Amino acid sequence: MADIKIIESHSAQETFALGEKIGQTVQKGTVFTLNGDLGVGKTVFTQGVAKGLGIEGPVNSPTFTIVQIYDQGRLPFYHFDVYRIGDVSEMDEIGYEDYFYGDGVCLIEWASLIEEIIPEHITAITIEKDLEKGFDYRKITIEEM
């Protein structure tokens, strides 16, 4: 049975802070899947995780490179953005298994596009807007699987 937490964020700063808190306590080998529509704050959340890991440099979505590697924090951080993946076999070309099953932390944006290769044990994160609750409101669902 999955452990599910729902967090409400009312600003980009709160979303960043949640990511930072998670990054401070995450253990090696953790794989996060991150799903949500364009513009919900996936990159802001990811930047928070990176900050929590002790990564000081800029963190941007690797939309065209698929994976960005940050190794200056307390653990290696592998940030995937698979939005532009045409076929799952493209993941083989970048050696995804070394990252998914390595000693770092993986965060995969748009993970639903590569479901068939996602490891069994993950932390699934979904960020959703609800405009009725305000422009900056986000519902963040974190599910340990």
Side-chain angles (χ1 to χ4, degrees), residues 13-82:
Q13 293 82 1
E14 286 182 21
T15 300
F16 181 94
L18 174 63
E20 184 176 12
K21 182 178 174 186
I22 288 170
Q24 290 168 346
T25 60
V26 70
Q27 301 298 308
K28 71 178 182 176
T30 300
V31 175
F32 294 104
T33 60
L34 185 55
N35 289 291
D37 293 336
L38 287 168
V40 296
K42 292 185 300 296
T43 300
V44 169
F45 177 85
T46 301
Q47 290 167 338
V49 172
K51 176 79 170 165
L53 283 165
I55 296 164
E56 295 297 329
V59 173
N60 299 304
S61 275
T63 304
F64 295 100
T65 57
I66 301 174
V67 65
Q68 186 74 320
I69 301 163
Y70 301 93
D71 55 13
Q72 66 270 39
R74 69 176 178 85
L75 293 169
F77 183 48
Y78 311 120
H79 178 199
F80 288 82
D81 182 335
V82 298

Side-chain angles (χ1 to χ4, degrees), residues 61-132:
S61 275
T63 304
F64 295 100
T65 57
I66 301 174
V67 65
Q68 186 74 320
I69 301 163
Y70 301 93
D71 55 13
Q72 66 270 39
R74 69 176 178 85
L75 293 169
F77 183 48
Y78 311 120
H79 178 199
F80 288 82
D81 182 335
V82 298
Y83 184 72
R84 298 200 183 279
I85 285 277
D87 186 270
V88 174
S89 64
E90 291 177 47
M91 294 296 289
D92 290 328
E93 295 170 19
I94 60 170
Y96 77 91
E97 290 177 329
D98 293 339
Y99 304 112
F100 286 13
Y101 302 102
D103 286 336
V105 174
C106 282
L107 188 145
I108 309 159
E109 292 188 46
W110 301 99
S112 60
L113 298 174
I114 59 166
E115 284 179 323
E116 56 268 38
I117 62 169
I118 296 294
E120 184 178 348
H121 299 289
I122 61 166
T123 300
I125 300 170
T126 304
I127 304 176
E128 301 168 285
K129 288 182 182 183
D130 184 344
L131 294 176
E132 289 182 12

